[in-house]
Amino acid sequence: GNSVTQMEGPVTLSEEAFLTINCTYTATGYPSLFWYVQYPGEGLQLLLKATKADDKGSNKGFEATYRKETTSFHLEKGSVQVSDSAVYFCALTFNTNAGKSTFGDGTTLTVKP
Amino acid sequence: NAGVTQTPKFRILKIGQSMTLQCAQDMNHNYMYWYRQDPGMGLKLIYYSVGAGITDKGEVPNGYNVSRSTTEDFPLRLELAAPSQTSVYFCASSSQGARTEAFFGQGTRLTVV
């Protein structure tokens, strides 16, 4: 079956530090890949996505590149802010699968001033 | 611009009680989903629907039931609540196709005592 593995957290960084959250997947075929963010007490919301190999998704200073050869979709940000503190989920979806998503376990990020 | 609306936000049930979690979306999405999120874990799919009148089981359907009489509404029914059903429940919807993201409600925090 499909699976998504994220780097274990929690991750604690100082403001303006560089962020990487690793995500690798196991799947047969070429899924669409997503990063969702969950702020405290809220539901998940889309952060960025990539739908084919070598695509780069970007939003709010975050980036991730769909690497087919390494089955990875690592999330990066050059300079984090306190407001980036949240839980980040990597997910994959197949077109033939009724849009059902497979999620990683989430990585909690805390950014300190 | 409501998106996906879930009610209630919080609920405490006694073992053996039943309840219905409500979910409504106003984006005319065909696909709807129910997930549960346990502490430190990713989301597990309970049930999903690809359109009115069509529902199917996800990874963890035992103890739950759903119905989809309209495009907008997708209630989740818990029969005979058990402590193992203590979790945060998220409803989500998406338009057809894996390249589009899911839109999530704010969640229902359920405790079974």
Side-chain angles (χ1 to χ4, degrees):
Chain A
N2 304 325
S3 66
V4 175
T5 302
Q6 289 181 233
M7 69 182 284
E8 290 190 18
V11 175
T12 302
L13 295 173
S14 297
E15 209 164 20
E16 299 184 3
F18 184 85
L19 169 71
T20 299
I21 300 178
N22 289 339
C23 171
T24 58
Y25 68 89
T26 301
T28 303
Y30 305 109
S32 296
L33 300 174
F34 302 82
W35 276 101
Y36 288 90
V37 59
Q38 183 182 32
Y39 298 104
E42 297 186 10
L44 281 70
Q45 56 186 275
L46 178 71
L47 180 60
L48 53 84
K49 68 180 181 183
T51 59
K52 61 182 188 297
D54 300 324
D55 266 2
K56 177 186 282 188
S58 61
N59 186 27
K60 300 181 181 178
F62 291 90
E63 293 183 340
T65 301
Y66 189 165
R67 302 287 188 198
K68 183 179 66 174
E69 61 277 10
T70 55
T71 61
S72 64
F73 193 52
H74 305 320
L75 182 68
E76 296 183 336
K77 187 174 185 182
S79 176
V80 293
Q81 306 300 311
V82 172
S83 57
D84 293 328
S85 298
V87 182
Y88 293 81
F89 291 92
C90 186
L92 67 81
T93 305
F94 277 100
N95 201 36
T96 54
N97 208 19
K100 294 181 289 181
S101 295
T102 299
F103 289 88
D105 285 346
T107 301
T108 300
L109 171 66
T110 302
V111 180
K112 297 190 173 179
Chain B
N1 195 13
V4 179
T5 303
Q6 286 183 241
T7 56
K9 287 189 169 52
F10 303 94
R11 183 73 186 267
I12 298 175
L13 279 183
K14 294 184 178 178
I15 294 172
Q17 287 186 320
S18 301
M19 76 165 294
T20 299
L21 281 64
Q22 302 292 344
C23 175
Q25 54 93 6
D26 62 359
M27 296 172 282
N28 202 34
H29 286 166
N30 285 327
Y31 293 177
M32 295 189 74
Y33 316 89
W34 275 105
Y35 293 93
R36 59 177 286 171
Q37 182 183 29
D38 298 321
M41 306 289 286
L43 280 70
K44 302 294 184 189
L45 183 65
I46 304 171
Y47 270 94
Y48 68 100
S49 168
V50 299
I54 306 169
T55 64
D56 207 347
K57 297 177 181 179
E59 298 173 76
V60 290
N62 291 344
Y64 308 94
N65 275 301
V66 293
S67 59
R68 184 97 181 268
S69 56
T70 66
T71 298
E72 293 77 21
D73 299 303
F74 190 42
L76 177 72
R77 177 82 177 161
L78 278 72
E79 305 281 2
L80 299 174
S84 61
Q85 293 178 304
T86 293
S87 189
V88 180
Y89 292 84
F90 288 102
C91 179
S93 71
S94 69
S95 59
Q96 199 158 344
R99 293 183 175 80
T100 58
E101 69 271 25
F103 291 81
F104 285 81
Q106 288 204 315
T108 297
R109 184 174 295 274
L110 174 68
T111 303
V112 181
V113 297

